[in-house]
Amino acid sequence: MINENKIIGVNLTEDDMKEYNNYAAVDFTNPILTYPKSMSYRDSDIISREQKLKNALYRNWCMKRNFEYQGGIMIKIKDEFTAFFTLYKNEFNGDLTDKELYILDTFIIHLENILTDLCAEQTQPVFDYSNVADSSVLSTREKELLPYILNGFSN
């Protein structure tokens, strides 16, 4: 079962990630964590440019890296915060567009499924399916697949 807090950055050094941790408590995207389900977001929907300029994370971490805009996906499994996937964009490339948010939205269910599998207990519940499996109503293939279905597997 995965139960550790990790911050992983692509094109960010370990020092970048450690420095981010110094500002994590004042991250202007933190209000997203109160939302009850998985979602995509862009920071300009959460905070104005004027408010960002007053934020220590933005001034001391984002600006230093030319991260003018950010957006991404927050994943919640069983109503608990599980993962953030954050994308940063510079001033030249502009804010995330509606189309980019739509694309991010298409990944949410896929990521929820992957993370649910990764976070699941190592032992799957075992169901007694012997009475059903012995039924003459099911085909040979259906009887073969039944244990997997009853134990929560998907194709």
Side-chain angles (χ1 to χ4, degrees):
M1 185 160 141
I2 297 174
N3 60 4
E4 52 192 80
N5 294 324
K6 284 193 174 184
I7 298 177
I8 300 168
V10 177
N11 296 329
L12 292 171
T13 67
E14 188 174 331
D15 287 340
D16 288 332
M17 301 313 295
K18 285 179 183 175
E19 187 179 347
Y20 169 83
N21 281 332
N22 294 332
Y23 300 104
V26 295
D27 188 330
F28 48 86
T29 62
N30 285 344
I32 294 170
L33 297 173
T34 63
Y35 197 72
K37 63 179 191 166
S38 299
M39 64 177 284
S40 66
Y41 71 95
R42 65 179 151 216
D43 66 350
S44 60
D45 291 335
I46 300 166
I47 188 170
S48 70
R49 171 102 169 108
E50 294 76 30
Q51 290 171 311
K52 268 203 299 195
L53 288 169
K54 296 175 185 174
N55 181 274
L57 170 71
Y58 178 75
R59 284 191 329 271
N60 301 323
W61 194 82
C62 294
M63 288 179 75
K64 190 160 115 177
R65 290 161 182 81
N66 197 24
F67 295 159
E68 179 62 31
Y69 302 102
Q70 70 176 352
I73 301 172
M74 176 199 57
I75 301 294
K76 285 195 170 185
I77 307 294
K78 296 182 182 175
D79 299 325
E80 290 186 26
F81 166 68
T82 304
F84 248 110
F85 297 91
T86 304
L87 307 170
Y88 295 99
K89 294 179 78 177
N90 61 26
E91 178 94 31
F92 177 78
N93 290 307
D95 201 355
L96 272 78
T97 65
D98 289 342
K99 181 178 179 180
E100 289 168 326
L101 282 178
Y102 176 79
I103 292 168
L104 291 175
D105 282 339
T106 64
F107 286 109
I108 290 174
I109 293 173
H110 177 68
L111 291 170
E112 285 175 337
N113 289 337
I114 289 171
L115 292 170
T116 296
D117 288 346
L118 289 173
C119 295
E121 294 290 336
Q122 296 301 314
T123 56
Q124 294 287 325
V126 177
F127 295 94
D128 180 13
Y129 58 90
S130 58
N131 292 341
V132 179
D134 291 337
S135 168
S136 61
V137 177
L138 299 177
S139 70
T140 304
R141 181 68 176 148
E142 289 168 332
K143 289 176 185 177
E144 186 180 312
L145 295 174
L146 186 61
Y148 297 104
I149 294 167
L150 291 176
N151 284 298
F153 291 96
S154 64
N155 60 357

